[in-house]
């Protein structure tokens, strides 16, 4: 590890001294400089000390992966994801906003991992009962997060991964059971990544989505792999890495073409449409929107078992509405957002609140101020008690627009409620 740190530091341009690296690591962890000295970096590079607490910040600053002791090829996925989960339990503050995803990292799944592990001696014998337990727990934790936000359930999910699921991944199973176990674990890891992102931990979320992709690829599960790519693409859009988002969304949609699941097709095509709209490619965005609508119109109403199969008609309508807004068609945007709320009846508090915040912004842009204020009042009712960065962003966006509105009683009411409910920032 010390040699890799030194090599990465010396490869930096302009030249990065040990003292400069110490300053950058201090800034990454504390927002200041001067907490770490050159001697600490020297001891790490000489192998005299292991940078346990500083490890995620070294990875961030030098843009290298040390968690899995990756020596030029991908480390064992199970070991890597458990190391990540174990660190997540202990470190409440992980990486901040991450850099663009290197797509090369997505092309390295170990296709023989399950075969190599199958029928070996392990601490416990694993069957389909354990696989079913992972899927049931993922559904239960996902339902809680959808209602109350990712901040309420992530550490429960991480502990389940690193205690119970770890024993089974290291246990004895057949190749068939192993593939099912890897697939179920991929869904759990993807959920944890979604929860981390919903809390605002972007770098941590990215790592979980990458592991979800690798587990799915090793299991041979095309839909789950595409879903992990979807998570990475959405994150890249939110962070402003638009070219990377387009590449990820295109890869996601291409994987989706091989599937027969109509909800998954709509899910991935709307992802591509959103990335294309963010990139200013209106032609591709419109094409993907039309294709997503054609797929969702043939999809069953009831949710299926997989993550993509939970892509409801309401969520499709919400995402489509926001893509239309990005393309400048505010009438279509408002129509789709009303469709999400009134026809498909999104009823999870977190989800409904996010749609209401977006609808209010569209109504305001269309010049309907009083209706927007009424919509935001309904948003505030739904958002109370939900822990989600999306809710916090909604509150911040509303607060930013209120000073420009006429000082009417309804505007003052919303202003007072936002000031009481908004989470203060540093």
């Amino acid at each position: 590890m010390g040699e890799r740190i030194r090599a990465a530091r010396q490869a930096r341009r302009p030249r990065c001294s040990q003292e400069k690296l110490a300053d950058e690591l201090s800034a990454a962890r504390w927002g200041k400089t001067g907490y770490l000295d050159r001697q600490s970096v020297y001891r790490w590079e000489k192998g005299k000390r292991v940078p346990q607490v500083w490890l995620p910040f070294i990875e961030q600053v030098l843009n290298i992966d040390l968690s899995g002791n990756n020596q030029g090829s991908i480390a064992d996925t199970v070991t890597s994801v458990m190391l990540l989960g174990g660190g997540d339990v202990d470190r409440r503050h992980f990486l901040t906003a991450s850099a663009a995803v290197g797509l090369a990292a997505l092309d390295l799944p170990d296709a023989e991992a399950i075969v190599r592990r199958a029928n070996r001696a392990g601490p416990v014998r694993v069957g389909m009962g354990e696989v079913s337990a992972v899927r049931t727990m993922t559904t239960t934790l996902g339902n809680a997060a959808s209602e109350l936000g990712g901040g309420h359930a992530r550490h429960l999910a991480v502990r389940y991964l690193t205690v119970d699921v770890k024993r089974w991944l290291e246990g004895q199973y057949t190749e068939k059971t192993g593939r099912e176990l890897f697939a179920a674990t991929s869904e759990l890891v993807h959920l944890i990544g979604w929860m981390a992102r919903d809390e605002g931990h972007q770098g941590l979320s990215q790592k979980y989505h990458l592991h979800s992709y690798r587990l799915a690829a090793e299991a041979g599960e095309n839909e789950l792999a595409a879903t992990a790519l979807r998570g990475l693409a959405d994150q890249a859009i939110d962070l402003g890495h638009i070219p990377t988002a387009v590449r990820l969304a295109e890869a996601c949609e291409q994987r989706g073409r091989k599937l027969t699941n109509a909800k998954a097709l709509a899910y991935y095509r709307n992802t591509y449409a959103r990335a294309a709209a963010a990139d200013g490619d209106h032609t591709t965005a419109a094409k993907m929107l039309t294709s997503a609508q054609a797929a969702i119109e043939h999809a069953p109403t009831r949710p299926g078992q997989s993550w993509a199969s939970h892509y409801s008609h309401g969520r499709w309508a919400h995402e489509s509405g926001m893509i239309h807004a990005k393309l400048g068609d505010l009438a279509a945007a408002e129509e789709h957002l009303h469709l999400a709320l009134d026809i498909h009846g999104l009823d999870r508090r977190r989800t409904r609140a996010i749609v209401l915040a977006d609808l209010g912004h569209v109504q305001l842009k269309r010049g309907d101020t009083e209706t927007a204020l009424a919509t935001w009042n309904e948003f505030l009712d739904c958002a109370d008690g939900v822990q989600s960065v999306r809710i916090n962003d909604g509150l911040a966006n509303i607060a930013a627009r209120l000073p420009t509105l006429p000082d009417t009683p309804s505007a003052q009411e919303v202003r007072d409620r936002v000031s009481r409910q908004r989470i203060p920032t540093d």
Side-chain angles (χ1 to χ4, degrees):
M1 183 181 293
E3 291 176 358
R4 297 192 65 214
I5 292 171
R6 184 178 69 252
R9 175 180 63 79
Q10 292 176 342
R12 288 273 299 274
R13 295 291 181 272
R15 182 178 175 275
C16 179
S17 66
Q18 292 177 337
E19 185 175 5
K20 179 173 170 46
L21 177 58
D23 285 342
E24 288 189 34
L25 291 172
S26 298
R29 186 178 182 193
W30 304 110
K32 301 177 182 179
T33 59
Y35 287 94
L36 188 70
D37 60 19
R38 184 190 68 80
Q39 287 298 317
S40 296
V41 177
Y42 171 83
R43 285 190 285 267
W44 298 337
E45 293 184 354
K46 290 295 185 181
K48 297 177 183 292
R49 295 284 190 277
V50 177
Q52 295 176 340
V53 173
W54 291 95
L55 184 59
F57 305 100
I58 295 170
E59 291 182 323
Q60 179 188 2
V61 170
L62 294 178
N63 194 27
I64 56 174
D65 180 10
L66 299 171
S67 302
N69 295 323
N70 190 340
Q71 299 293 337
S73 62
I74 186 170
D76 177 77
T77 304
V78 173
T79 302
S80 297
V81 77
M82 291 310 155
L83 284 169
L84 174 60
D88 185 10
V89 171
D90 297 330
R91 291 193 298 269
R92 293 299 182 265
H93 301 288
F94 204 77
L95 300 180
T96 55
S98 61
V101 180
L103 290 183
L106 298 173
D107 297 326
L108 300 170
D110 180 1
E112 300 300 318
I114 297 171
V115 176
R116 191 171 60 250
R117 289 172 176 270
N119 296 313
R120 66 174 187 178
V124 293
R125 185 176 294 274
V126 181
M128 290 306 296
E130 286 76 16
V131 173
S132 178
V134 176
R135 288 182 170 143
T136 300
M137 281 295 293
T138 301
T139 300
T140 302
L141 292 164
N143 287 339
S146 295
E147 179 74 15
L148 298 171
H152 282 283
R154 179 165 67 89
H155 292 298
L156 292 174
V158 171
R159 281 187 167 84
Y160 180 64
L161 170 69
T162 55
V163 177
D164 295 286
V165 180
K166 177 184 179 182
R167 289 190 307 117
W168 299 332
L169 287 167
E170 294 175 346
Q172 183 178 0
Y173 43 77
T174 65
E175 181 179 342
K176 182 178 185 300
T177 300
R179 294 194 183 282
E180 294 285 348
L181 181 62
F182 270 53
T185 305
S186 172
E187 291 190 88
L188 174 62
V189 171
H190 183 80
L191 174 63
I192 297 171
W194 179 90
M195 290 173 170
R197 182 179 167 203
D198 199 45
E199 289 183 276
H201 300 310
Q202 297 286 4
L204 183 56
S205 171
Q206 186 181 88
K207 284 178 175 283
Y208 276 116
H209 285 322
L210 283 167
H211 279 297
S212 176
Y213 175 87
R214 289 165 180 161
L215 286 162
E218 288 169 13
E221 285 287 345
N222 211 41
E223 182 182 314
L224 297 180
T227 298
L229 290 173
R230 144 92 185 197
L232 289 164
D234 259 6
Q235 185 183 32
I237 294 171
D238 290 344
L239 293 174
H241 303 307
I242 304 305
T244 298
V246 171
R247 292 176 66 197
L248 285 164
E250 185 176 18
C252 165
E253 193 273 333
Q254 286 175 347
R255 275 187 174 267
R257 292 177 193 171
K258 304 174 184 178
L259 305 173
T260 58
N261 181 343
K263 285 188 175 180
L265 293 175
Y267 194 42
Y268 307 142
R269 286 169 185 170
N270 252 13
T271 304
Y272 195 6
R274 184 174 175 232
D279 196 37
D281 183 354
H282 289 207
T283 301
T284 300
K287 178 183 175 182
M288 288 295 115
L289 272 174
T290 301
S291 184
Q293 180 170 347
I296 203 71
E297 286 174 350
H298 294 89
T301 306
R302 292 175 61 85
Q305 288 189 338
S306 70
W307 185 283
S309 295
H310 277 76
Y311 188 61
S312 66
H313 291 69
R315 286 183 60 199
W316 162 80
H318 176 211
E319 286 194 341
S320 297
M322 297 314 295
I323 295 168
H324 280 296
K326 184 71 175 178
L327 296 174
D329 190 345
L330 296 179
E334 185 168 0
E335 178 184 350
H336 278 80
L337 294 176
H338 276 300
L339 185 66
L341 293 168
D342 303 332
I343 307 301
H344 297 303
L346 290 174
D347 57 359
R348 301 296 178 97
R349 285 174 56 204
R350 174 191 172 277
T351 307
R352 189 172 184 85
I354 291 169
V355 179
L356 286 165
D358 289 338
L359 176 58
H361 289 301
V362 171
Q363 290 166 336
L364 187 65
K365 287 180 179 179
R366 299 194 74 194
D368 196 349
T369 303
E370 286 301 313
T371 303
L373 290 167
T375 301
W376 283 340
N377 257 320
E378 193 177 347
F379 157 75
L380 291 165
D381 291 336
C382 283
D384 193 21
V386 177
Q387 290 185 27
S388 166
V389 72
R390 295 284 300 277
I391 298 299
N392 296 342
D393 288 346
L395 289 166
N397 290 337
I398 293 171
R401 283 164 173 75
L402 286 173
T404 66
L405 303 183
D407 194 14
T408 62
S410 52
Q412 188 58 50
E413 180 188 1
V414 174
R415 190 177 292 113
D416 291 342
R417 293 191 66 188
V418 168
S419 65
R420 291 194 302 268
Q421 202 162 331
R422 187 180 177 193
I423 297 174
T425 56
D426 295 335

